Amino acid sequence: MIQSVAFIGLGAMGYRMAAHLTKHFSTVLVWNRNFEKAEKHAAEYGTQAVTLNEAVQADIIFSCLPTSQDVELLMTELELKPGSVWVDCTSGVPASAKTLAAQLKLKNVDFLDAPVSGQTVGAENGTLTVMVGGDAAAFDKALPAMQTFGKLIKYVGESGAGFAVKAVNNMLMAVNLCSVAEGFTTLKAHGVNLNEALDCINASSGKSMVTETVLPQRILNRSFPLTFALPLLAKDTGIALDLIRDAKLSAPVIALTQSLIQAASDLSEKDSDFSTAVKMYESWSKITIE
Amino acid sequence: MIQSVAFIGLGAMGYRMAAHLTKHFSTVLVWNRNFEKAEKHAAEYGTQAVTLNEAVQADIIFSCLPTSQDVELLMTELELKPGSVWVDCTSGVPASAKTLAAQLKLKNVDFLDAPVSGQTVGAENGTLTVMVGGDAAAFDKALPAMQTFGKLIKYVGESGAGFAVKAVNNMLMAVNLCSVAEGFTTLKAHGVNLNEALDCINASSGKSMVTETVLPQRILNRSFPLTFALPLLAKDTGIALDLIRDAKLSAPVIALTQSLIQAASDLSEKDSDFSTAVKMYESWSKITIE
Amino acid sequence: MIQSVAFIGLGAMGYRMAAHLTKHFSTVLVWNRNFEKAEKHAAEYGTQAVTLNEAVQADIIFSCLPTSQDVELLMTELELKPGSVWVDCTSGVPASAKTLAAQLKLKNVDFLDAPVSGQTVGAENGTLTVMVGGDAAAFDKALPAMQTFGKLIKYVGESGAGFAVKAVNNMLMAVNLCSVAEGFTTLKAHGVNLNEALDCINASSGKSMVTETVLPQRILNRSFPLTFALPLLAKDTGIALDLIRDAKLSAPVIALTQSLIQAASDLSEKDSDFSTAVKMYESWSKITIE
Amino acid sequence: MIQSVAFIGLGAMGYRMAAHLTKHFSTVLVWNRNFEKAEKHAAEYGTQAVTLNEAVQADIIFSCLPTSQDVELLMTELELKPGSVWVDCTSGVPASAKTLAAQLKLKNVDFLDAPVSGQTVGAENGTLTVMVGGDAAAFDKALPAMQTFGKLIKYVGESGAGFAVKAVNNMLMAVNLCSVAEGFTTLKAHGVNLNEALDCINASSGKSMVTETVLPQRILNRSFPLTFALPLLAKDTGIALDLIRDAKLSAPVIALTQSLIQAASDLSEKDSDFSTAVKMYESWSKITIE
C-alpha cells in the first residue's frame, strides 16, 4: 500500500506529471534543484516542497531529469529507504539503468526505468505512454502511481528495457524526420503541391507520426515551437546506436541517421526544436519546406 | 459529359477498380492482355470485353499496368480519340508521364498520371487514394470517374507529379521498413518484449504505417502475405532516387535505403512480399523478428 | 596513317594536351569557344587556330569539354569527315558515349570515350592516364595520337567503358575524401598528432591517393588550390551513381557518398577545389583538419 | 639502459616480432598461453621460454594479443616491476589504454599502446609501422626495442592515441574495401575489363592500398588467403565508431561502413579473410569480381 510518493525534477514534463499525483495520494513530496519551482508547485497543487533527502523517504520516488548522468550524480548523495521503488522517467541510458538497479538492489530498493512519451500535452492531460523496465513485482507496486499520469503503461522487460524502447522510438522518429525532409524537398523541386501531397501520403503507406503531426504543425508552417530540443534527440539517437554496438548488430539506416541528426544538432542554434533538423537539408538544397 | 469509360489492365488492383465504374457509367469497356480475364470481368460485373483499339475510343481511359514501360509499349500500337482523357493508375515514372502527356497532347488527348494507394482492400471497397498529375481541366473532367473507386482524390501538380508523390510515399514506407527491422532486431537482442514495445511505439512519436500494420500483420506473425512484391518496391525506390538525381539533391537516407531494398530484393525469392525485406536483416543478425 | 589532328576545347587540361601533338604531327588544328585562346595556343606551340568546321576535317579529332552535354551540343552543328576518329577526353556520361558512337557510326566516324587522369601536371608532362572505350580498331588508329600526351593508355571496353572507369575512379576518390575527413576529425578530437598519424597511415593499409597527396598538399596546409572544382566532382559521382541505377545494383557507400559530395558542393563557394568538401565536416564538428 | 625484454603472445605477428629482439638484446624472455609455442620460439631463436610472472620482470614488456580485453584479463594476474615499460602491440581499444596506463602508473610502470601494421611479411622483415600513444619519456625508453622490428615508429599522442590511429587506419581500409567492391561490381555489370580498369585507377586519384594490393592479390584471383580475419576487422571498425560516438561527431561514411563490415562478418564463414567482405556484395549482385 503506497503511503507517500515523491517527484524529483519539475521540468516541463515533471511539473505536469507530479500534479496528477495529488488526485490519488495524500502525501506528495516534490523537489527541484531550483527550489522556487518546487514551492510554486506546492502552492499550486497542494504538494509539499521538501529537501531531497526528505523526498527520497517516500514509498515511490519518481525522477525526471535531462540525462541518466544527472540521475546518477543526484543519487550518490542520498540515503534511500529500504522497500521503496525509484521510478526514473528520464529518457536515459539502458546500461545506466542496469547499474543503478543493481546498486539499489543492495539497499533493498527497486529501480524502474520508466521513460514517457506524449510530450507536455500528454503530461498535462495524464495520457502519457510509459514504457517500463526492471523488476516485475516493483512494476506492479508502482503501477497505481504511474496510472495517475499515464494512459498506456507497459512492462517491456528487465532493467534497461524501458530506456531501450524509448531510444528506439525516438530513433524511428528521427529516421522519419530525415527521410521526410529528403522526400518533401524532392517533391518541391519537382513542382509538386506539398499540402496535397501530404494529404495523400497521410492516407497511404508512407504515413508516420512525422507526416501526421511534425510536418504540418511545425515545419510547413515554419513555427518550429521548442518542445523537445534537437540536442536531446541527438542524445537519444546516440543511445540507440550504442545499443546496436553493444549487441554487435548491423543497422545502416539508424547509424546514418544518427550521424545526420548529430550534424544537424551541431549546426543548430541553442534551444532549437528537434524539427529544425530539416534546416540542414534546406541549407543544402536551398529549398524551403513550406 | 462522360459517355463511356474503359479500363486497361485487370490485375489485382485494376480488376477491382474497374468493377466500380459500372455503378456510375452505362458503357464500361475492359481489356486485358490475358483476354479471358476481361471476359470474366464482363460476365461478373456487366462490363464489355473489347479489343484494345475499341477500348481506347472511350471518353475516359484508365490503365493500370506493372510499369511505365508497359504503358509506353502498349500506347505505340493505338489510335486515340481526340478529346479523351487517359488516366494512368500505374505506379510509374514521372519523366515518362511528361513524355506521354506531351505526345498525347499533339493528338488532343490528355494524359493524367494517377497512381493509387490503398492496396487491394481499398480497390475492393472503392476507398483508394488517388494522387493526380497533369492538366487541371483534364483532372476535373476525369474526376467523376475516379470518384467511383477513390475516396481521397488529389490534384498534386503538373504531369509527373502524381507519380512523384507515389514514389516518395513508397520510399518513406521503405525507409520505415528498414529502420523498424533494425530497431526491433536491436530491442530483441536486448531482451525486450517486442509486442509490448510495439504498443508503446504505436502510441508514440516513432509510429508509422509500418509499425501500425506491416509489422504486426505481416512480420511478427511471420505470414508475409504477397500483396505487393518486393521487386516492385525496389522499382519504386529507384524512381524516387532518380527524382533526387534529376534535381541534383542530396538525400542520404533515401539513397541508402534504395540500396538496401535493392539488395533485399536481389536476395529474395520470386513472388516475395515487400515485407520480406526484413529477412535480409535477420540473416545478418540471426535474430528473428517475432 | 594520320595526316592531321585537331583539338577542341583548350581549357586547363586541353591547352596542355594539345601542345604535345605538334611533336608528332605536322598539322595540328585547334579550336576554342573563346577563340583568342586558340590563337594564343597557335602562337605559342605552332598549332593552327581554325574554325570548328575546319577542325573537324582532321583524321583524329580530340575534344575536352566540361560535360557530355557540351560535346553533344557542339556536335549537332558539325559536318564530319568519313573515316575519322573522334576522341572525347571529357569526363563524360557513358550513356552519352553510346548514343554518340551509334550516331557517328552512321556517318562512318568512330567515337572513342577517352577521359584522362593526372591533372594539369600530367597534361603538362605528357604523362596522363587515358582510359578508352569504343571500337577496338579505332583505338589502335588513335593510339599514336593519344601517346603524345598519355603514359598509360588502356582500352577498357566498348563505348562508355572509358567514361565508366573515370566516374568510378573519381567516386573512389570522393569516398576517400569523405572518410579521411571523418577519420582525421575523429583523431584530432582525441588529441592525436595528425601529421604523425598521417605518416603511419601512409605506410599502412588505410593509405590512398587522398592520404598521400590531397590531405597533406591541400587540406592540412589549408591551401585548397583550385585544380578540380567540387561541382565537377559532384557531377562525376552522379555519373557513377547513375551507372549503379542503370544496372540495378546496390552500392550503399557510393550512394551515400554521392549525397555527401552533392551537399558539400551545394554548400561551397563558387570555384572551390574538390578538397574543400572537408569543410562541410568541419562546419559540423567545429574541428579544423590542420 | 635496457637489460632485458619480454614478449607475451606469440601469434602470427608476435612470433615473428619477438625473433628480432635477440639481435639487439641478450636477455629475451617469451611467454605464450600455449607454452609449446614459447619453447619452440626459444629453440628456434635463442629466446628464453619462461613463466608469465618471470616474463614481466623484464625492463620492456611487449604484448600482442587478439583484443584489449585479453590484455586486461592477463594483467590482473601479475606483479609488475617498478620502472618497467609495457608496450602493447595489440590492435586495442583507446579507452582501455587510458585505464591501463593510469592503473600501471600507480605501480610506477608505463603503458604504451603501440599497435603495428605491415602484416606478417612486415613482422618477418622487421619493417613494421608502429603507432605509439602514452608517456613521451617511456616512448624514448622503449624506442630501441621497438626499432628491432619496426621501420617507421611514430609517437602520435597520449595514451590511446596509438590504438586510435590503428582503428582509423583499418576503418579507412574497410571503407575502400566496400567502395571498391561496389565500384568494380558496377564496372563489370557494364562490361568493362576489370584488369585494365584497375591499371588505370592505380595510376589515378582513386588509388588506395586496397586497389593496389587487396584487389589484385586476394579478390580478382579469388585466393582470399587468411592473414587478417574479417571479425577482427569488424572489431576494429567498431573501435573507430566508438571513438566517433565518444567525441559526439558525425561520420556518416564510417558509420555506414561499420554496419556493412559487421553484416559481412556476420554472414561469413569461420576463419574468413577480411577480403571476403566483398562476397556479401557478390551475393547481392550475382556478379563475381574476377
Side-chain angles (χ1 to χ4, degrees):
Chain A
M1 189 47 201
I2 305 172
Q3 303 291 343
S4 58
V5 296
F7 208 105
I8 293 167
L10 302 170
M13 293 298 287
Y15 198 90
R16 289 168 172 87
M17 289 160 75
H20 295 287
L21 293 167
T22 53
K23 297 177 202 161
H24 298 265
F25 302 101
S26 48
T27 305
V28 179
L29 312 172
V30 295
W31 181 85
N32 195 60
R33 195 166 294 279
N34 170 351
F35 197 68
E36 281 178 29
K37 225 169 175 182
E39 290 171 327
K40 180 161 174 282
H41 196 275
E44 194 167 349
Y45 297 110
T47 54
Q48 303 172 43
V50 297
T51 67
L52 187 51
N53 266 310
E54 287 169 333
V56 299
Q57 301 314 310
D59 297 328
I60 307 283
I61 306 138
F62 288 97
S63 57
C64 194
L65 299 174
T67 69
S68 277
Q69 213 182 353
D70 296 310
V71 178
E72 290 168 12
L73 281 172
L74 181 137
M75 224 175 251
T76 58
E77 319 170 16
L78 298 174
E79 195 65 45
L80 300 180
K81 184 177 81 173
S84 63
V85 182
W86 187 301
V87 183
D88 184 23
C89 299
T90 301
S91 289
V93 175
S96 171
K98 282 179 194 152
T99 304
L100 290 178
Q103 288 174 354
L104 266 57
K105 200 72 181 172
L106 300 175
K107 304 177 184 174
N108 198 23
V109 173
D110 281 300
F111 179 89
L112 298 173
D113 48 304
V116 298
S117 74
Q119 303 214 301
T120 48
V121 62
E124 186 80 36
N125 298 334
T127 57
L128 293 172
T129 297
V130 195
M131 37 213 105
V132 189
D135 183 83
F139 172 81
D140 291 338
K141 202 162 154 190
L143 186 57
M146 294 190 282
Q147 281 169 332
T148 62
F149 54 73
K151 188 175 164 197
L152 183 75
I153 303 167
K154 289 283 184 177
Y155 176 75
V156 295
E158 303 194 350
S159 279
F163 286 163
V165 173
K166 183 74 197 289
V168 167
N169 176 77
N170 284 14
M171 186 79 231
L172 294 179
M173 195 276 279
V175 170
N176 275 307
L177 191 58
C178 290
S179 58
V180 163
E182 297 178 9
F184 275 74
T185 306
T186 303
L187 289 177
K188 190 161 181 192
H190 286 276
V192 173
N193 181 314
L194 294 195
N195 288 305
E196 304 294 326
L198 181 58
D199 283 352
C200 293
I201 288 171
N202 276 333
S204 303
S205 59
K207 183 180 77 168
S208 66
M209 189 64 103
V210 170
T211 60
E212 288 182 311
T213 68
V214 179
L215 184 54
Q217 295 168 13
R218 292 168 188 254
I219 300 172
L220 285 172
N221 66 8
R222 313 306 289 171
S223 64
F224 304 105
L226 174 58
T227 63
F228 177 44
L230 183 49
L232 289 177
L233 179 59
K235 179 206 68 173
D236 291 343
T237 61
I239 294 172
L241 185 54
D242 290 342
L243 285 172
I244 289 159
R245 286 280 306 129
D246 285 348
K248 300 213 184 313
L249 296 173
S250 172
V253 173
I254 286 181
L256 170 59
T257 301
Q258 204 282 321
S259 276
L260 292 167
I261 293 293
Q262 185 68 56
S265 176
D266 292 340
L267 289 169
S268 73
E269 290 170 30
K270 206 175 163 302
D271 292 330
S272 295
D273 188 59
F274 72 97
S275 55
T276 61
V278 304
K279 292 185 179 178
M280 180 174 74
Y281 285 100
E282 295 181 338
S283 75
W284 295 347
S285 64
K286 322 290 188 259
I287 289 173
T288 306
I289 303 170
E290 67 183 346
Chain B
M1 187 48 199
I2 304 172
Q3 303 291 344
S4 57
V5 296
F7 208 105
I8 293 168
L10 302 171
M13 293 298 286
Y15 197 90
R16 289 168 171 88
M17 290 160 75
H20 295 286
L21 293 168
T22 53
K23 298 177 200 161
H24 298 264
F25 302 101
S26 48
T27 304
V28 180
L29 312 172
V30 295
W31 181 86
N32 195 60
R33 196 166 291 278
N34 169 352
F35 197 67
E36 281 177 29
K37 225 169 174 181
E39 289 171 327
K40 180 161 173 280
H41 196 275
E44 195 168 349
Y45 297 110
T47 55
Q48 302 171 43
V50 299
T51 66
L52 186 52
N53 266 308
E54 285 169 336
V56 299
Q57 301 313 310
D59 296 330
I60 307 285
I61 305 140
F62 289 97
S63 57
C64 193
L65 300 174
T67 70
S68 276
Q69 213 182 354
D70 296 310
V71 178
E72 290 168 12
L73 281 172
L74 181 138
M75 224 176 250
T76 57
E77 317 168 17
L78 299 173
E79 194 67 43
L80 300 178
K81 184 177 79 174
S84 63
V85 182
W86 187 301
V87 183
D88 183 23
C89 299
T90 301
S91 288
V93 176
S96 171
K98 282 180 193 152
T99 305
L100 290 177
Q103 287 173 355
L104 265 57
K105 201 74 180 173
L106 299 175
K107 303 176 184 175
N108 198 25
V109 173
D110 280 301
F111 179 89
L112 298 173
D113 48 303
V116 298
S117 73
Q119 303 213 302
T120 48
V121 62
E124 185 80 35
N125 299 334
T127 56
L128 293 172
T129 297
V130 195
M131 35 213 105
V132 189
D135 184 82
F139 171 81
D140 291 339
K141 203 162 153 190
L143 186 57
M146 295 190 283
Q147 282 169 332
T148 62
F149 55 72
K151 188 174 163 197
L152 183 75
I153 304 167
K154 289 283 186 177
Y155 177 75
V156 295
E158 303 194 351
S159 279
F163 286 163
V165 173
K166 183 73 196 290
V168 167
N169 176 76
N170 283 14
M171 186 79 231
L172 294 178
M173 194 275 281
V175 170
N176 275 306
L177 191 57
C178 290
S179 57
V180 163
E182 297 178 7
F184 275 74
T185 306
T186 303
L187 289 177
K188 191 162 179 189
H190 286 276
V192 173
N193 182 315
L194 295 195
N195 288 304
E196 304 295 327
L198 180 58
D199 282 352
C200 293
I201 289 171
N202 277 334
S204 304
S205 60
K207 184 181 76 166
S208 67
M209 188 63 104
V210 169
T211 59
E212 288 183 309
T213 68
V214 179
L215 185 54
Q217 295 169 13
R218 291 166 189 256
I219 299 172
L220 285 172
N221 65 9
R222 312 307 288 173
S223 65
F224 304 106
L226 173 58
T227 63
F228 176 44
L230 183 49
L232 289 177
L233 178 59
K235 178 206 69 173
D236 290 344
T237 62
I239 293 172
L241 185 55
D242 290 342
L243 285 171
I244 288 159
R245 286 281 306 130
D246 285 348
K248 300 212 186 312
L249 296 172
S250 173
V253 174
I254 287 181
L256 171 59
T257 301
Q258 205 283 320
S259 276
L260 293 168
I261 293 292
Q262 184 69 53
S265 176
D266 291 341
L267 288 169
S268 74
E269 291 170 30
K270 207 175 163 300
D271 292 331
S272 295
D273 188 59
F274 71 97
S275 55
T276 61
V278 304
K279 292 185 179 180
M280 180 174 73
Y281 286 100
E282 297 180 337
S283 75
W284 295 347
S285 63
K286 321 292 188 259
I287 290 172
T288 306
I289 304 170
E290 65 184 346
Chain C
M1 188 50 198
I2 304 172
Q3 303 291 344
S4 57
V5 297
F7 208 106
I8 292 168
L10 302 171
M13 292 300 286
Y15 197 89
R16 289 168 172 87
M17 290 160 74
H20 295 287
L21 293 168
T22 53
K23 298 177 198 158
H24 298 264
F25 302 101
S26 49
T27 304
V28 179
L29 313 172
V30 295
W31 181 85
N32 196 59
R33 194 166 294 279
N34 169 354
F35 198 67
E36 281 178 29
K37 225 171 176 179
E39 289 171 327
K40 180 161 174 281
H41 196 275
E44 192 167 350
Y45 297 110
T47 55
Q48 302 173 42
V50 298
T51 67
L52 185 52
N53 266 310
E54 286 169 335
V56 299
Q57 301 313 310
D59 296 331
I60 307 284
I61 305 139
F62 289 97
S63 57
C64 194
L65 299 175
T67 69
S68 277
Q69 213 183 353
D70 296 309
V71 178
E72 290 169 12
L73 280 171
L74 180 138
M75 222 175 251
T76 57
E77 316 170 17
L78 298 174
E79 195 66 44
L80 300 178
K81 184 178 80 170
S84 62
V85 182
W86 187 300
V87 183
D88 184 23
C89 299
T90 301
S91 289
V93 176
S96 172
K98 282 180 194 152
T99 305
L100 289 178
Q103 287 174 355
L104 265 58
K105 201 72 180 172
L106 299 175
K107 303 175 183 176
N108 198 23
V109 173
D110 281 301
F111 178 89
L112 298 174
D113 46 304
V116 298
S117 73
Q119 302 213 303
T120 48
V121 63
E124 186 80 35
N125 298 333
T127 57
L128 293 171
T129 298
V130 194
M131 36 215 105
V132 189
D135 183 83
F139 171 81
D140 291 339
K141 202 163 157 188
L143 186 57
M146 294 189 284
Q147 282 168 332
T148 61
F149 55 72
K151 187 175 165 199
L152 182 75
I153 304 167
K154 290 284 185 178
Y155 176 75
V156 294
E158 304 195 351
S159 279
F163 286 163
V165 173
K166 183 74 197 291
V168 167
N169 176 76
N170 284 14
M171 186 79 232
L172 293 178
M173 195 275 280
V175 170
N176 275 306
L177 191 57
C178 290
S179 57
V180 163
E182 296 177 9
F184 275 74
T185 305
T186 303
L187 289 177
K188 190 161 181 191
H190 286 275
V192 174
N193 182 315
L194 294 196
N195 289 304
E196 304 295 326
L198 181 58
D199 283 352
C200 293
I201 288 171
N202 277 333
S204 304
S205 59
K207 183 181 78 167
S208 66
M209 188 64 103
V210 169
T211 59
E212 287 183 310
T213 68
V214 179
L215 185 54
Q217 296 169 13
R218 292 167 189 257
I219 299 172
L220 285 172
N221 66 7
R222 313 307 290 172
S223 65
F224 303 105
L226 175 57
T227 63
F228 176 45
L230 183 49
L232 289 177
L233 178 60
K235 178 208 68 172
D236 291 344
T237 60
I239 294 172
L241 186 54
D242 290 343
L243 285 171
I244 288 158
R245 286 281 306 130
D246 284 349
K248 300 213 185 314
L249 296 172
S250 173
V253 174
I254 288 182
L256 171 59
T257 301
Q258 205 282 323
S259 276
L260 292 166
I261 293 293
Q262 184 69 54
S265 175
D266 291 341
L267 288 170
S268 73
E269 290 170 30
K270 208 176 163 302
D271 292 330
S272 295
D273 187 58
F274 72 96
S275 55
T276 61
V278 304
K279 293 185 179 179
M280 180 175 73
Y281 285 101
E282 296 180 337
S283 75
W284 295 346
S285 62
K286 321 293 187 259
I287 290 173
T288 306
I289 302 170
E290 67 182 347
Chain D
M1 189 48 200
I2 305 172
Q3 303 291 344
S4 58
V5 296
F7 208 106
I8 292 167
L10 302 171
M13 293 298 287
Y15 197 90
R16 290 168 171 87
M17 290 161 75
H20 295 286
L21 293 168
T22 54
K23 297 178 200 159
H24 298 266
F25 302 100
S26 48
T27 305
V28 179
L29 313 172
V30 295
W31 181 85
N32 196 59
R33 195 166 292 278
N34 170 352
F35 197 66
E36 280 177 30
K37 226 169 174 180
E39 289 171 327
K40 182 163 173 280
H41 197 274
E44 194 168 351
Y45 297 110
T47 54
Q48 303 172 42
V50 298
T51 66
L52 186 53
N53 266 309
E54 286 169 334
V56 299
Q57 301 313 312
D59 296 331
I60 307 283
I61 306 139
F62 288 98
S63 56
C64 194
L65 299 175
T67 70
S68 277
Q69 213 182 354
D70 296 310
V71 179
E72 290 168 13
L73 280 173
L74 182 137
M75 221 175 253
T76 57
E77 317 169 17
L78 298 174
E79 196 64 44
L80 300 179
K81 184 177 78 172
S84 62
V85 182
W86 188 301
V87 183
D88 184 23
C89 300
T90 302
S91 289
V93 175
S96 172
K98 281 180 194 153
T99 304
L100 290 178
Q103 287 174 355
L104 267 57
K105 201 72 180 172
L106 299 176
K107 303 176 184 175
N108 198 23
V109 174
D110 281 301
F111 179 88
L112 298 173
D113 47 304
V116 298
S117 73
Q119 302 212 303
T120 48
V121 63
E124 186 80 36
N125 299 333
T127 56
L128 293 172
T129 297
V130 195
M131 36 214 104
V132 189
D135 182 83
F139 171 82
D140 291 339
K141 201 162 156 191
L143 186 58
M146 294 190 283
Q147 281 168 332
T148 61
F149 55 72
K151 189 175 164 195
L152 183 76
I153 303 167
K154 290 283 186 178
Y155 177 75
V156 295
E158 304 195 350
S159 279
F163 287 162
V165 173
K166 183 74 197 292
V168 167
N169 176 77
N170 283 15
M171 186 79 232
L172 293 178
M173 194 275 280
V175 170
N176 275 306
L177 191 58
C178 290
S179 58
V180 163
E182 296 177 9
F184 275 74
T185 305
T186 303
L187 289 177
K188 190 160 182 192
H190 286 275
V192 174
N193 182 316
L194 294 195
N195 289 304
E196 304 294 327
L198 181 58
D199 283 353
C200 293
I201 287 171
N202 277 332
S204 303
S205 59
K207 184 181 77 167
S208 66
M209 188 63 101
V210 170
T211 60
E212 287 183 310
T213 69
V214 179
L215 185 54
Q217 295 169 14
R218 291 167 189 256
I219 299 172
L220 285 172
N221 66 7
R222 312 307 290 171
S223 64
F224 304 105
L226 174 58
T227 62
F228 177 44
L230 182 50
L232 289 177
L233 178 59
K235 178 207 68 173
D236 292 342
T237 60
I239 294 172
L241 185 55
D242 289 342
L243 285 172
I244 289 159
R245 286 280 306 128
D246 284 348
K248 298 214 186 313
L249 296 172
S250 173
V253 173
I254 287 182
L256 171 59
T257 301
Q258 205 282 321
S259 276
L260 293 167
I261 293 293
Q262 184 69 54
S265 175
D266 291 341
L267 289 170
S268 74
E269 290 170 28
K270 209 178 160 299
D271 292 330
S272 296
D273 188 59
F274 72 97
S275 55
T276 61
V278 303
K279 292 185 180 179
M280 180 174 74
Y281 285 100
E282 295 180 338
S283 75
W284 295 347
S285 63
K286 322 292 188 260
I287 290 173
T288 306
I289 302 170
E290 66 183 347

